[in-house]
Amino acid sequence: MWRRKRRNQDLEREIRGHLELEEEDQRNAGVTPDEAPYAARRAFGNVNLIKEVTREMWGWTSLERLGQDLRYAVRMLRKSPVFTAVAVLSLALGIGANTAIFSLMNAVMLRSLPVQEPDRLVLFGAGKWGGITDDLPNRSWQLFSYPFYRHVQQKNQVFSGVAAMESMENDVRAVVSGNNQSEPVSARLVSGTYFSVLGVNAVTGRIFTMPKIRRPAAIRWR
Amino acid sequence: MAKEPNRVELLQGTLDMLILRTLLFGPMHGHGITKHIQRTSDDMLRVDHGSLYPALHRLERQSWIASKWQSTERGREMKFYRLTAAGRRQLLVEESKWKQLASAIARVMRPA
């Protein structure tokens, strides 16, 4: 902006110099000294228009015009506060609703699971029922018994790995190392293949693999 | 601006060429460029100031001319424009374009 101001002054000076020389010419041509400035201006043309057109050559005019438009918009909005309030409110509601819908879609459809290859992961059943196999809510394939899982896991020729998790989450209290107090945690029984199949690691502690299944381990994940 | 009947309007696009050509003789300010073009054309061509200054600033932006504040012989500070190397090349381009245009018009007006 500072550079622009200097350039404007420069142009002002340039045109003033031109007018002065023109004045001299007019006087030399016999125009009276009183008349000469007017004659020079007449010969030059519309000074402000010429300045305007010249400024356009600098290439900043579009930016300047944008600024003017913005200022004008603010002025007009101030003049009618009720209209402005309604417009802002409807925009806010619209944007809010869209954001809410998108966050939901993002969470449900777009964001992938935090496992190594989510696109190769298949879930048996709907994954929303909890309970024991004998107690199927709608008698369809929703829950599977542990022996069933073992069978599938051992006879598996289709998947690179099969893992199972208990359908019910247990809220227990545990002491995380370093803390003196116990805190509520969510615990879930999972098969020994769980971590290797999902391809995830524990944040702290060690994860178990198939052979170590007999040794119980508590780990902190997530 | 009232124009005398014996004066012709500058053809679109020829002003740049005339400015570059004028500056070939050395640095000059806007007023001097106007006067030079009018004088050498025996007052046939009148440079409209409304196009002169925009043209000068456009040419400067394209680096065909460069400007500098300098004193005239009579001690007045004026903005002098001088031809750059790129401007010289541009002058050749415009001149050859002009020659083509002129000969093309001549052929139309007076078919051989």
Side-chain angles (χ1 to χ4, degrees), chain A residues 7 9-11 13-15 17-25 28 42-45 50 53-54 56-59, chain B residues 1 29-32 34-35 48-58 60-61 69 72 74 76-79 81:
Chain A
R7 267 190 111 156
Q9 286 169 351
D10 219 47
L11 178 63
R13 222 173 118 203
E14 185 176 13
I15 289 177
H18 185 114
L19 286 172
E20 282 166 15
L21 281 185
E22 186 66 35
E23 245 179 81
E24 255 171 53
D25 282 2
N28 291 342
R42 265 201 306 279
F44 191 80
I50 290 172
V53 180
T54 305
E56 265 172 40
M57 297 301 143
W58 300 344
Chain B
M1 232 189 296
H29 46 75
H31 186 259
T34 315
K35 291 287 149 184
D48 180 19
H49 299 105
S51 13
L52 174 74
Y53 281 96
L56 283 172
H57 285 244
R58 189 179 59 239
E60 190 181 11
R61 196 166 165 228
W69 286 92
T72 60
R74 301 169 70 182
R76 194 193 296 280
E77 276 276 294
M78 294 290 284
K79 198 175 184 185
Y81 292 91

Side-chain angles (χ1 to χ4, degrees), chain B residues 2-15:
Chain B
K3 287 211 164 76
E4 284 93 311
N6 61 341
R7 280 199 165 129
V8 282
E9 294 246 19
L10 272 181
L11 263 173
Q12 187 102 41
T14 51
L15 180 61

Side-chain angles (χ1 to χ4, degrees), chain A residues 102-121:
Chain A
F102 176 76
S103 340
L104 190 76
M105 297 287 270
N106 186 33
V108 173
M109 295 172 73
L110 300 176
R111 236 188 17 231
S112 51
L113 289 166
V115 297
Q116 215 158 56
E117 288 173 280
D119 49 322
R120 293 180 62 197
L121 202 64

